[in-house]
Amino acid sequence: MRLRGRKGIKEALEAQPELVVLEPEMYKGKWSEVFGNDRPIHVEFGMGKGRFISQLSALNPEINYIGVDMYDELIRRGSEKAKESREEHGGDLSNLRLVRFNIEHIENMFEAGEIERIYLNFSDPWPKKRHARRRLTHAGFVNKYRVILNERGEIHFKTDSRSLFEFSLNSFCDLGIRLRNISLDLHAEGLRTDLVMTEYETKFSGKGMPIFRLEAVIGQQALDQHLDSLQRREREEADEAARRGTDDEQNDEE
Ligand SMILES: C[S@@+](CC[C@H](N)C(=O)[O-])C[C@H]1O[C@@H](n2cnc3c(N)ncnc32)[C@H](O)[C@@H]1O
């Protein structure tokens, strides 16, 4: 992402301590205190200009959100987007924080089990093999995410990059992580308006490019719930098949 920084940006960020956090390491293990409640915390790593996290936090006031990026200018743009989203949807900004931080050191920002969901949206693909370790779905990162996620922990990942998606599938599978809701063309049957779109997603899907998506189930409780829902679906499908079989028999007799 090409960025032209503005003069006075540091002062602009420092002037909004209720929204912008510039030294997040101070709050490791204390994010619930920052929000003033025990609600779940969902985080976007690499939020860019912040449209996704701004809209999601406006739509879900019962969840706390943190948008992370490493550039001041993006945090500034994110803060503008956040205010615009509240003008559009109403509500206040108390459930959102924008944080300037390098995700490589994420273990210094969150305590073990402190967050419930990670969003990775259109992460830089780093196509060269020698840069593989920089991809945000590399095992080195995923293992850190596993520590900071709680029992209900999940990772939701979207990308336009087929090669990053392939790499990520292998990375999660090599770590023995259960995946669900895998899509190789998320908007194939019309835009999924139930899922908030990011800036990159709007741009790429507007050009007709497929969007790849998956959910990685990390926490034990999330996994148990997922397995329960699979069993329930299997039972419903068996009941439905049995019902259809009975109907067919009756039709044959008539
Ligand atoms: C391609 S952009 C995607 C932006 C946004 N998520 C979207 O979908 O529109 C990737 C973003 O990740 C951020 N990023 C990449 N590596 C990062 C890191 N190690 N720490 C923090 N942010 C990072 C970049 O600054 C950039 O804003």
Side-chain angles (χ1 to χ4, degrees):
M1 184 173 290
R2 211 180 308 145
L3 288 175
R4 211 175 297 135
R6 283 200 184 172
K7 273 192 184 164
I9 186 165
K10 199 157 179 282
E11 292 74 14
L13 296 183
E14 283 169 356
Q16 4 184 14
E18 68 297 338
L19 177 62
V20 173
V21 181
L22 297 172
E23 292 180 35
E25 284 147 304
M26 280 172 56
Y27 303 109
K28 178 174 174 172
K30 297 182 187 150
W31 287 99
S32 292
E33 287 173 38
V34 170
F35 287 107
N37 59 57
D38 281 333
R39 294 177 185 157
I41 298 176
H42 294 190
V43 184
E44 185 184 11
F45 287 154
M47 68 163 187
K49 295 178 191 164
R51 184 169 86 181
F52 176 84
I53 200 85
S54 295
Q55 293 214 358
L56 210 57
S57 58
L59 293 171
N60 302 300
E62 71 290 355
I63 294 171
N64 295 321
Y65 289 91
I66 302 177
V68 182
D69 209 287
M70 57 186 173
Y71 295 113
D72 284 348
E73 176 57 14
L74 291 175
I75 302 297
R76 187 192 66 73
R77 290 191 197 182
S79 70
E80 284 178 358
K81 271 274 166 351
K83 286 165 200 159
E84 284 168 23
S85 69
R86 294 323 192 260
E87 278 163 25
E88 191 185 337
H89 299 285
D92 62 31
L93 289 165
S94 59
N95 69 329
L96 176 64
R97 294 295 183 278
L98 304 178
V99 171
R100 187 199 55 209
F101 199 64
N102 189 333
I103 299 150
E104 282 176 23
H105 309 294
I106 204 63
E107 70 280 14
N108 298 332
M109 181 171 155
F110 292 114
E111 195 55 81
E114 199 168 10
I115 61 177
E116 184 176 279
R117 185 174 301 172
I118 293 172
Y119 290 102
L120 297 173
N121 292 323
F122 299 82
S123 309
D124 297 327
W126 292 107
K128 288 185 182 151
K129 211 171 175 185
R130 67 188 155 90
H131 291 147
R133 294 189 70 78
R134 297 185 194 175
R135 298 173 193 153
L136 293 188
T137 50
H138 187 278
F141 279 103
V142 178
N143 278 329
K144 290 186 182 188
Y145 305 156
R146 287 167 117 178
V147 174
I148 60 178
L149 282 163
N150 67 19
E151 286 291 285
R152 291 176 300 283
E154 296 178 5
I155 301 170
H156 293 197
F157 172 55
K158 284 196 272 199
T159 180
D160 62 302
S161 166
R162 184 191 154 104
S163 59
L164 179 64
F165 197 70
E166 273 181 14
F167 172 85
S168 308
L169 286 174
N170 283 305
S171 179
F172 286 120
C173 291
D174 287 346
L175 292 168
I177 292 172
R178 167 76 68 141
L179 303 178
R180 70 170 184 216
N181 292 332
I182 298 171
S183 174
L184 302 180
D185 192 353
L186 183 61
H187 303 295
E189 285 157 32
L191 284 183
R192 285 282 304 271
T193 46
D194 56 318
L195 302 170
V196 172
M197 287 173 78
T198 81
E199 273 99 357
Y200 272 68
E201 187 170 5
T202 308
K203 189 167 117 186
F204 293 127
S205 57
K207 288 181 184 171
M209 291 166 65
I211 304 300
F212 303 85
R213 183 175 182 277
L214 63 77
E215 295 171 8
V217 187
I218 305 290
Q220 191 56 50
Q221 206 175 313
L223 186 60
D224 291 344
Q225 260 177 17
H226 175 57
L227 296 177
D228 282 351
S229 74
L230 289 183
Q231 276 183 0
R232 215 173 22 249
R233 195 167 72 195
E234 216 170 283
R235 274 198 305 273
E236 283 166 6
E237 283 171 359
D239 289 350
E240 178 60 26
R243 233 187 340 265
R244 244 185 279 126
T246 320
D247 289 350
D248 288 349
E249 275 171 30
Q250 276 175 356
N251 287 342
D252 288 346
E253 282 167 21
E254 280 166 13

